[in-house]
Amino acid sequence: MSSLATTQNAQAGAAAAPTAAPQENLSGGLILLLAVGTGVSVASLYYSQPMLGVLSGAIHASEREVGMVPTLTQLGYALGLLLLAPLGDRYDRRNIILIKGAILALSLLAAGLAPSLGLLLAASLAVGLTATMAQDLVPAAATLAPVAHRGRVVGIVMTGLLLGILLSRVVSGFVAEQFGWRAMYVAAAVGMALIGVALWRGLPRFAPTTSLSYGALMGSLFSLWRQHPALRRAAIAQGLLALGFSAFWSTLAVMLHEAPFHMGSAAAGSFGLAGAAGALAAPLAGRIADRSGPERVTRLGAGLAALSFVAMAFAPLLPDTHSQVMLIVASAIGFDFGIQAALVAHQTIVYGIDPGARSRLNALLFTSVFVGMSVGAALGSLALAQWGWMGVVGLTTVAAVGSLLVRLTARRLA
């Protein structure tokens, strides 16, 4: 009886959860919960990547067929950004987060238990669609944060997202090697379920900010894009930085494999540790944005990215391959820091445009980022094939300089 009463009291407490509003004393525990939830959910997008070689033999599929697993996961994420993320303005964002979290946990479990490639691909698509709960948690943090500290809070939550991306591949590779690929998916499902319970207990309710129908809600995306030049500048500037980021990372392994480096995939994968710089940049950028304004941070971030990309052009002038690799590592740390700092600052700008449309504004910003990354991967491969590594360096530099020019133009128009 006592167990039943406890359960009923918990359910009643959840039902009576307060409506979210900016909180002057936003608890560190809730900020941590939002950061962890964001990291765990976005990590679901990347678990499959280090396991593709194991998957190919385990389910008797070709490398090309298995390559559809991360492809469909990313496609699902892109569709979810565009089609599902705007719902946070129309419905209680808490409910959307909990529903996505539950389906994400079930999708990960289905992937781990999939007896065939077809079912694994279907589960991968569902994982991508529902992993967009990360893009519901970030606007939730912006809503709960007091205006004076919004940049800091968003930066902390983005640290969780970046660490989720960084650590997911490391954890996945280790677990798959020690316990098998199915164990990784099942463990991820259990972790997501636990986070879902914590969010159910800890998240307040969010009052809808619009009563638009779904069709009108989607149509309003175009209106928001036309209406707010600050949104367009933020999306274009961050999309250009994402283009350069993706062009670098999508071609790095191929470049390191060839002369004069002759490095394997493990060495290329270790470059991902440079992503830790992005995790450090997020809260720092948020604090600077709160004190000095986000516009300044966007220019500093884009400028640092441009300088870091340019620096790689001097690698061939160094006397040995070790020195060249060290320069590339330093450049990767520099541009990753700059790009993530600019992202946090752009989010701060976008979330301040219209509090009633934060989910839609966030969807537009991250759709631009995703488009930039897709275009960057394609152009990076083309540049490498046509002009070699210096072609990639030129492409990334032009993209970062273009982003800086967009921000400098915004300053002149302000």
Side-chain angles (χ1 to χ4, degrees), residues 26 93 235 322 336 346 406:
L26 184 60
R93 193 177 284 119
H322 177 76
D336 194 75
H346 280 134
V406 170

Side-chain angles (χ1 to χ4, degrees), residues 25 64 139 216 231 254 282 377:
N25 296 310
R64 183 174 181 179
L231 168 64
V254 177

Side-chain angles (χ1 to χ4, degrees), residues 176-242:
E177 183 175 337
Q178 297 296 321
F179 307 103
W181 67 272
R182 293 186 186 276
M184 182 62 248
Y185 277 121
V186 172
V190 172
M192 192 63 246
L194 293 175
I195 289 295
V197 171
L199 290 168
W200 172 71
R201 294 181 64 87
L203 271 185
R205 296 190 178 280
F206 293 78
T209 56
T210 182
S211 58
L212 293 173
S213 66
Y214 181 72
L217 192 72
M218 297 304 296
S220 69
L221 293 173
F222 299 99
S223 299
L224 288 168
W225 181 264
R226 291 194 303 267
Q227 184 179 353
H228 299 293
L231 168 64
R232 295 195 299 271
R233 288 192 291 266
I236 293 170
Q238 196 63 45
L240 286 168
L241 290 175

Side-chain angles (χ1 to χ4, degrees), residues 9-83:
N9 289 337
Q11 291 173 339
T19 300
Q23 301 178 13
E24 289 303 320
N25 296 310
L26 184 60
S27 72
L30 182 53
I31 296 173
L32 178 62
L33 175 60
L34 291 166
V36 173
T38 301
V40 171
S41 55
V42 81
S44 303
L45 297 171
Y46 303 99
Y47 289 135
S48 66
Q49 293 181 0
M51 304 191 298
L52 294 181
V54 178
L55 277 170
S56 180
I59 59 178
H60 308 292
S62 68
E63 291 183 0
R64 183 174 181 179
E65 290 172 329
V66 168
M68 289 300 295
V69 172
T71 299
L72 283 177
T73 305
Q74 295 292 335
L75 176 61
Y77 192 71
L79 291 173
L81 278 176
L82 186 62
L83 302 178

Side-chain angles (χ1 to χ4, degrees), residues 246-327:
S246 181
F248 173 86
W249 288 110
S250 63
T251 57
L252 177 67
V254 177
M255 184 274 290
L256 291 177
H257 181 73
E258 297 174 346
F261 302 104
H262 300 294
M263 292 182 175
S265 57
S270 66
F271 273 71
L273 294 176
L280 295 173
L284 177 61
R287 288 187 175 91
I288 296 174
D290 288 334
R291 290 199 305 267
S292 305
E295 290 283 353
R296 182 181 181 185
V297 178
T298 63
R299 296 191 293 272
L300 290 173
L304 178 58
L307 289 174
S308 299
F309 285 132
V310 167
M312 289 190 292
F314 295 94
L317 302 179
L318 297 178
D320 53 62
T321 56
H322 177 76
S323 301
Q324 294 175 22
V325 169
M326 289 301 98
L327 175 60

Side-chain angles (χ1 to χ4, degrees), residues 121-135:
L121 292 177
S124 299
L125 180 64
V127 165
L129 282 166
T130 50
T132 51
M133 71 173 282
Q135 298 305 330

